[in-house]
Amino acid sequence: MQLYNYFRSSASYRVRIALAHKGLPYDYRSVHLVHGEQNAPDFAAQVGDSLVPALDLGDGAAWLSQSVAIIEYLDEAHPTPSLLPGDALARARIRGLAQQVACDIHPLNNLRVLRWLVRQGGLSDDKKNQWYHHWVRQGLEAFERALALMATERQRLGLAPSTLCWGSELTLADCCLVPQVFNAQRFAVPLDGLPLTMAAYEAAQALPAVQAAQPSACPDAQA
């Protein structure tokens, strides 16, 4: 497999975590978003949205796009260790947390949106950063409330308290949360008052798969 990604891309980071967690080998292919390499004709011809990540399954099999879809494919094709463990209700909880990040938070603060706000929207860098801080903080506060509700649910069901987003094993939700908090720290978003969220993040950061996938470990990493 070949993973086309960019070291600072949150969506790419999610897939790298999943691949590392499952111990799946892949070739790293850098697509520099800041330099616009995602718009190169040979890449765009394979990926309809010209975004990263994209996973080439190799041997002319298929290309996959969209990080959550890629991770769910990997989980179905290589089910152990699972990133969507448990019964139908548990999997729905995990997917819900993942979508809070991937659908509600990330689309408002990714690179192409921030660039548009400055270049076409006329915002100053300070105003752009205010935008980023507002939406990321609001989204993480909602994530914290969701974790609190799920903690109560787990207690009612007689389940052990979660150490990660759901339970004590890495899931799709953690694959999404870690990159989002990493980027929030880069942009100096206040992360106080989010005890459950930050505890899950710190627990995930200690895992070998997350450490192996972090941006600083990527071949195209830059300061």
Side-chain angles (χ1 to χ4, degrees):
M1 293 186 291
Q2 298 181 349
L3 179 65
Y4 290 79
N5 75 141
Y6 179 54
F7 78 107
R8 280 199 184 124
S9 159
S10 295
S12 298
Y13 193 175
R14 298 169 194 161
V15 176
R16 294 198 304 268
I17 293 172
L19 287 164
H21 180 63
K22 290 180 175 293
L24 296 173
Y26 64 94
D27 292 331
Y28 189 105
R29 295 288 185 265
S30 176
V31 180
H32 202 300
L33 300 185
V34 177
H35 295 164
E37 291 178 358
Q38 69 274 23
N39 298 315
D42 56 344
F43 181 72
Q46 301 291 343
V47 184
D49 54 19
S50 295
L51 300 174
V52 295
L55 185 66
D56 178 0
L57 299 181
D59 298 325
W63 282 60
L64 302 177
S65 61
Q66 292 296 324
S67 62
V68 174
I70 291 171
I71 294 171
E72 292 218 32
Y73 164 81
L74 293 172
D75 210 50
E76 293 177 7
H78 307 275
T80 304
S82 177
L83 287 166
L84 284 162
D87 58 16
L89 179 59
R91 294 193 296 274
R93 296 302 188 205
I94 292 165
R95 287 187 173 101
L97 289 170
Q99 288 175 17
Q100 278 192 254
V101 175
C103 301
D104 294 343
I105 304 175
H106 179 248
L108 290 166
N109 65 80
N110 66 20
L111 177 62
R112 58 180 177 159
V113 169
L114 298 180
R115 275 185 161 180
W116 190 95
L117 289 172
V118 172
R119 296 178 179 179
Q120 282 76 38
L123 294 191
S124 66
D125 282 340
D126 285 345
K127 287 293 185 181
K128 175 201 71 177
N129 289 334
Q130 286 180 26
W131 166 282
Y132 184 100
H133 283 210
H134 171 77
W135 291 113
V136 171
R137 177 68 198 197
Q138 186 180 87
L140 290 176
E141 287 174 355
F143 195 91
E144 179 74 14
R145 292 192 297 272
L147 290 183
L149 289 169
M150 291 181 195
T152 300
E153 179 182 352
R154 289 181 67 87
Q155 185 178 31
R156 178 179 60 81
L157 295 172
L159 300 175
S162 293
T163 54
L164 292 161
C165 285
W166 179 265
S168 59
E169 300 296 326
L170 192 78
T171 68
L172 172 63
D174 302 293
C175 291
C176 290
L177 177 65
V178 167
Q180 188 61 67
V181 173
F182 173 84
N183 274 335
Q185 291 173 330
R186 280 187 60 230
F187 282 84
V189 175
L191 296 172
D192 56 300
L194 303 169
L196 297 175
T197 300
M198 294 309 296
Y201 171 76
E202 294 296 342
Q205 282 283 64
L207 299 175
V210 175
Q211 294 174 5
Q214 64 183 320
S216 63
C218 294
D220 56 344
Q222 297 173 340

